[in-house]
Amino acid sequence: MIHLGLPLSHARSGRWWPENAVYAADFINNRYMRNGAEIDRASAFSFSRSTPKLAEDSKGVWHHFGVDEPAITDRGLLLEPAATNMVPNPTMAGAVRGVVGAGGALPTGWTTTNFSPVEVLDTGWEDGLPYITLRLRYTNSTGAVQYPCLIPAMGVPANLGEQWTASAFYKLLAGTWHPNPAAFLNVREAGTTQTYPSLSRPDDMTTRTRLALTWSISRAGTVTMEKRSIMFNAGAGDAGDLTVQICAPMLCKEPTASSVTLSAARAADLVSVDLPNSASQLSVISTTGTTTISVVPGQMALPLSSTETIKRVYAS
């Protein structure tokens, strides 16, 4: 009897790299090639990073990567410079459910102004990020404007001309935002005078939304910053009651909002690819486009960026 079935071995159906490539790395599909032969990841590039790291996949889930583990998701390889989160408690440790001052407690180091009462409804993790759910109520019974604020960082030192970025994730669960969206994500910058870099609130944040504010320090003298993750301009007689989820607040000396950093510091990614002697240029295909770089064969460092993820690289 003759049995028909699959052969014991298969010829590869075709190359996944360009015809003229002498090196290729497809980070999304975890496949690598040098001089026409497929190789494993350890042979394709070297990598180090002295701290853990988080990276977001295409569905908005944040994955945790350990020391010296490259941050590869279905979006590709995320390579970033170092960053330090100056929010001292971004994981919201110390929070206790209940009304603050009557059994409940805000995260250690957090405070509010002109919200009363404040109630901690829940804390936990969602899609790899820590969150806190707060019920915030305010009534302005004065004859002047009030500024209800949620403040996770105070007394942060800074210097004239530095570039900083503040960010956080928000989700409105109940109630409505104050009708004036101005200065929602706000930083108080105090030196010889004061200024308030601000970002207005979008109209709809019923799904988790990251807001980021980037500015340069403009106050001379000794400067300290106070980050307000939420701030309203509440006029006389204004009142409100809203329930909001806050995730992963950050305040970093960097030109854009980088990956979420839950510890004080995130070290730089250090990666280099081992190119054949015949290579003369490297094409880096990222989530924002393609960049071509002239190369010297041998070990070559890949570029770092917090605004794009590398999907593939080809050397020819």
Side-chain angles (χ1 to χ4, degrees):
M1 182 180 295
I2 298 175
H3 295 275
L4 299 177
L6 293 174
L8 294 178
S9 62
H10 304 272
R12 190 160 50 82
S13 59
R15 281 190 297 246
W16 51 266
W17 56 86
E19 182 73 28
N20 62 342
V22 294
Y23 174 93
D26 178 358
F27 298 111
I28 292 176
N29 295 294
N30 193 33
R31 52 191 185 181
Y32 309 92
M33 179 276 292
R34 183 186 295 111
N35 288 327
E38 296 200 54
I39 56 177
D40 60 20
R41 188 168 81 180
S43 301
F45 65 94
S46 61
F47 180 86
S48 66
R49 186 187 58 251
S50 61
T51 63
K53 181 186 177 82
L54 280 79
E56 185 182 22
D57 69 16
S58 61
K59 296 181 179 178
V61 176
W62 287 80
H63 299 265
H64 294 240
F65 298 89
V67 171
D68 293 336
E69 181 182 7
I72 299 176
T73 69
D74 64 351
R75 298 178 70 235
L77 172 63
L78 179 61
L79 300 176
E80 296 179 289
T84 299
N85 187 1
M86 299 303 292
V87 173
N89 185 9
T91 59
M92 300 137 196
V96 178
R97 294 183 185 185
V99 175
V100 174
L106 288 168
T108 303
W110 291 38
T111 188
T112 61
T113 62
N114 296 318
F115 282 120
S116 183
V118 175
E119 184 176 1
V120 178
L121 298 180
D122 192 21
T123 60
W125 291 75
E126 181 177 272
D127 293 336
L129 297 179
Y131 71 84
I132 187 167
T133 302
L134 299 171
R135 184 178 180 186
L136 302 171
R137 284 162 276 191
Y138 60 96
T139 300
N140 184 0
S141 56
T142 72
V145 175
Q146 283 188 334
Y147 303 96
C149 298
L150 172 66
I151 305 168
M154 295 179 289
V156 177
N159 296 298
L160 181 66
E162 292 176 344
Q163 195 168 34
W164 287 76
T165 297
S167 65
F169 294 80
Y170 302 86
K171 182 162 59 175
L172 182 65
L173 301 178
T176 57
W177 299 113
H178 188 276
N180 181 2
F184 179 79
L185 174 57
N186 174 272
V187 176
R188 175 178 174 267
E189 182 185 307
T192 52
T193 56
Q194 298 185 45
T195 192
Y196 300 87
S198 301
L199 182 72
S200 296
R201 167 185 52 78
D203 288 335
D204 180 18
M205 288 192 289
T206 54
T207 58
R208 189 176 67 225
T209 303
R210 190 181 196 185
L211 299 185
L213 164 68
T214 297
W215 79 103
S216 294
I217 300 294
S218 59
R219 301 299 94 181
T222 302
V223 175
T224 61
M225 294 183 295
E226 174 182 284
K227 179 185 187 248
R228 290 94 171 268
S229 286
I230 292 177
M231 193 192 85
F232 300 137
N233 297 339
D238 285 355
D241 183 348
L242 63 148
T243 300
V244 60
Q245 183 190 88
I246 305 289
C247 297
M250 292 179 60
L251 178 62
C252 299
K253 188 167 61 176
E254 58 183 358
T256 188
S258 61
S259 65
V260 169
T261 302
L262 299 179
S263 56
R266 183 193 70 232
D269 295 298
L270 301 175
V271 60
S272 60
V273 293
D274 189 7
L275 301 180
N277 290 334
S278 56
S280 62
Q281 68 177 25
L282 184 71
S283 296
V284 180
I285 302 164
S286 73
T287 49
T288 60
T290 300
T291 302
T292 301
I293 305 169
S294 296
V295 304
V296 175
Q299 293 288 328
M300 177 180 176
L302 293 180
L304 306 182
S305 172
S306 294
T307 60
E308 57 187 329
T309 302
I310 298 175
K311 297 191 289 186
R312 293 176 294 276
V313 297
Y314 301 123
S316 56

